[in-house]
Amino acid sequence: MNVRVLRTELKRSSAPWAGVVALATGSALLYLISEPWSGTTTAWTGQLTSMALWTRTLLFYLWPLAIGLGALQGLRDHRSKISDLLTSTPRPAWHRAATLAGTTAGALVAAFVSLILVGAVQVFTRTEYTHLGWLPISLVGVLALVAGSVLGMGAARALPSVLTPPALAMGAFVFTAVLARAETATMPGAPAAEPNRLVLLSPAVERVPNAFVTLSASVHLGQTIWMLGIASTGFALLVAAALRTRLLALAPVLAGVTLALLVLPSDPRRMFVLDQAAARPVCDGSVCVSSTQQARLAGLAGPAKEALRLLHGALGARAPETVRENTALLPDGSTPRWSRTTVLFHFDDDMFAAAKGDEVTKALIAQGMVPGCSPAGWSTFGSDQFAQTVAVGWVLGELEPLPGTGSAALNRHVVDRVRPVWEELMALPRAQQLARINAMRAIALSCEGDAFEALKGGPSR
């Protein structure tokens, strides 16, 4: 396809408008959804992998839109009633098909890449951690838009009807919606449902689970095979004229889905995998954060070292020795695992998200004393928070609300709830205080029992 033909095709087709519609729709979705702008470590502009995954979530809507817009473009010759005229010209059918498909697909790709570039520029201005591991995520998204638009064109050429574009768009939307719910059922009380390989047939990523994960290579390969099968079938339908040829054109998509299911991982733990480079620690003495958050190390080091000093003064030889950002990946619903010698924290935890200045030290002391035993992916409030408040008050000698506890009324309720326990603890001889604190920490670190009950001196298991 030379430049003159491409320029002519762009002028006389609706391809540029397809790009405008896709860009406007993607921008509206991205800027109207609050979660990508939450300010957490998985925010859209937090780091490059998160940016790539968030733009892939847009394909839940953009992929059906691309199929519908492609189908609308595929009806052009039928609407103009020049199909017979074009088939009588010496120009090869595949050449005309390539020109038609290339312009529309190119416009959609330009729109999607524009969103990626906007996000990437913002990431580069906010983080020191850069890498190329996000590129496969975005490239598969680009391929999905190309494949969707070409499939829409081919289907509309095979079934030339005014109802074809909306029917295809709605069918694709239902397809992605159904796959988004294709999860393995679990028994009540068991860990949360995990996705199976069928979910990966959708080009959209439903969520961004963690700043330290990325899609595995087998996911990229399987989705690439699937999308190439879709694109091949779409292009074959766009070229085919006879019914038999159109039926044969379905072979690539069938082969693609079969091969993709063989390649795509069946184990949920092999779908999202740990990004080793992102989780690599960057340290300032005894304080370490992940590579993705290395820009925050300077501000964290001082409060963290002060927290370790205070903990050592209160606990002696039993005190933790290091502070590290928690990069462990646990399935939803599983019990967290803690270390006696290391204070593990996450920047997205409520306490750390709300902590400012000296409150960071208080939050780290709370995490070092009572890390919290809420199952991974769950949010609970109760005994652990009560024990944290008493424990921090014991270390600092003053009972105060913890950062991130909630509203002022809830803060007062927590302090009032635990004040009798704190006063009783502080009235005991130092040796008995330390015995209760050590019993509380043992329970809190093992997640076997009630840490707050241990502070009362009563049964804890």
Side-chain angles (χ1 to χ4, degrees):
M1 187 191 308
N2 58 45
V3 176
R4 181 178 60 82
V5 173
L6 178 61
R7 185 168 56 247
T8 302
E9 185 67 24
L10 286 172
K11 287 181 178 179
R12 70 188 187 93
S13 73
S14 59
W17 289 108
V20 171
V21 170
L23 179 59
T25 303
S27 300
L29 290 170
L30 192 59
Y31 282 87
L32 291 177
I33 300 174
S34 60
E35 192 173 357
W37 303 94
S38 59
T40 64
T41 58
T42 57
W44 179 49
T45 56
Q47 55 119 345
L48 290 169
T49 300
S50 296
M51 180 275 298
L53 290 172
W54 276 118
T55 51
R56 281 284 295 274
T57 65
L58 300 179
L59 294 184
F60 187 83
Y61 303 98
L62 292 184
W63 194 61
L65 180 65
I67 292 177
L69 291 172
L72 193 64
Q73 182 77 330
L75 290 178
R76 185 185 64 181
D77 295 346
H78 177 75
R79 290 194 307 268
S80 303
K81 300 179 180 180
I82 58 172
S83 300
D84 293 338
L85 176 62
L86 291 176
T87 56
S88 65
T89 63
R91 188 183 181 190
W94 69 266
H95 195 282
R96 294 195 304 271
T99 303
L100 179 64
T103 51
T104 302
L108 293 171
V109 168
F112 189 66
V113 170
S114 296
L115 292 173
I116 294 173
L117 290 177
V118 169
V121 168
Q122 295 184 71
V123 171
F124 282 123
T125 62
R126 300 183 183 188
T127 182
E128 300 175 8
Y129 173 64
T130 59
H131 61 102
L132 297 177
W134 62 278
L135 278 176
I137 301 173
S138 295
L139 290 175
V140 172
V142 169
L143 178 59
L145 287 178
V146 172
S149 64
V150 175
L151 178 65
M153 293 178 206
R157 181 68 62 87
L159 300 171
S161 169
V162 69
L163 299 177
T164 299
L168 287 174
M170 183 56 65
F173 180 77
V174 171
F175 176 77
T176 56
V178 170
L179 290 182
R181 299 295 177 264
E183 297 179 333
T184 304
T186 56
M187 297 297 291
E194 298 285 358
N196 57 41
R197 73 180 74 189
L198 290 178
V199 176
L200 300 176
L201 291 179
S202 170
V205 174
E206 188 177 3
R207 61 193 179 100
V208 183
N210 192 294
F212 310 117
V213 299
T214 186
L215 291 172
S216 65
S218 57
V219 172
H220 296 319
L221 178 59
Q223 291 182 333
T224 298
I225 293 172
W226 169 227
M227 290 303 152
L228 287 175
I230 290 176
S232 299
T233 287
F235 192 78
L237 288 173
L238 196 57
V239 174
L243 176 61
R244 180 180 178 182
T245 310
R246 289 171 178 169
L247 291 175
L248 290 174
L250 300 177
V253 73
L254 296 177
V257 71
T258 301
L259 291 175
L261 290 175
L262 292 174
V263 172
L264 292 171
S266 57
D267 186 350
R269 291 171 295 183
R270 293 178 53 226
M271 297 177 187
F272 280 102
V273 295
L274 179 66
D275 187 338
Q276 298 289 346
R280 179 177 56 84
V282 178
C283 300
D284 180 351
S286 57
V287 182
C288 298
V289 298
S290 67
S291 296
T292 63
Q293 301 300 321
Q294 57 186 313
R296 303 171 73 167
L297 179 59
L300 176 70
K305 292 177 180 178
E306 175 66 9
L308 290 175
R309 185 187 69 80
L310 292 170
L311 285 169
H312 187 269
L315 298 173
R318 291 178 176 267
E321 302 170 354
T322 57
V323 173
R324 284 178 175 267
E325 183 181 2
N326 191 358
T327 59
L329 300 182
L330 296 177
D332 283 353
S334 59
T335 301
R337 297 187 294 269
W338 304 115
S339 168
R340 184 189 65 81
T341 59
T342 301
V343 179
L344 296 173
F345 75 97
H346 199 291
F347 283 109
D348 289 342
D349 289 343
D350 291 340
M351 272 198 300
F352 293 97
K356 305 293 181 184
D358 293 340
E359 290 182 339
V360 176
T361 297
K362 188 183 297 184
L364 288 169
I365 293 174
Q367 193 70 10
M369 297 293 282
V370 186
C373 292
S374 297
W378 295 15
S379 179
T380 60
F381 185 89
S383 178
D384 284 343
Q385 285 71 31
F386 296 153
Q388 283 178 335
T389 304
V390 174
V392 173
W394 178 78
V395 172
L396 299 179
E398 184 177 0
L399 188 64
E400 294 180 347
L402 297 179
T405 303
S407 64
L410 182 58
N411 288 339
R412 288 194 299 270
H413 168 72
V414 171
V415 172
D416 292 342
R417 173 72 172 79
V418 304
R419 184 174 296 278
V421 178
W422 178 75
E423 292 177 346
E424 178 187 351
L425 179 67
M426 299 298 289
L428 294 173
R430 178 67 182 180
Q432 294 183 29
Q433 291 180 26
L434 195 57
R436 288 195 183 186
I437 290 293
N438 287 335
M440 175 211 68
R441 285 196 74 220
I443 292 167
L445 293 172
S446 65
C447 291
E448 296 179 355
D450 190 324
F452 189 52
E453 288 296 323
L455 286 173
K456 299 177 184 180
S460 57
R461 294 177 185 269

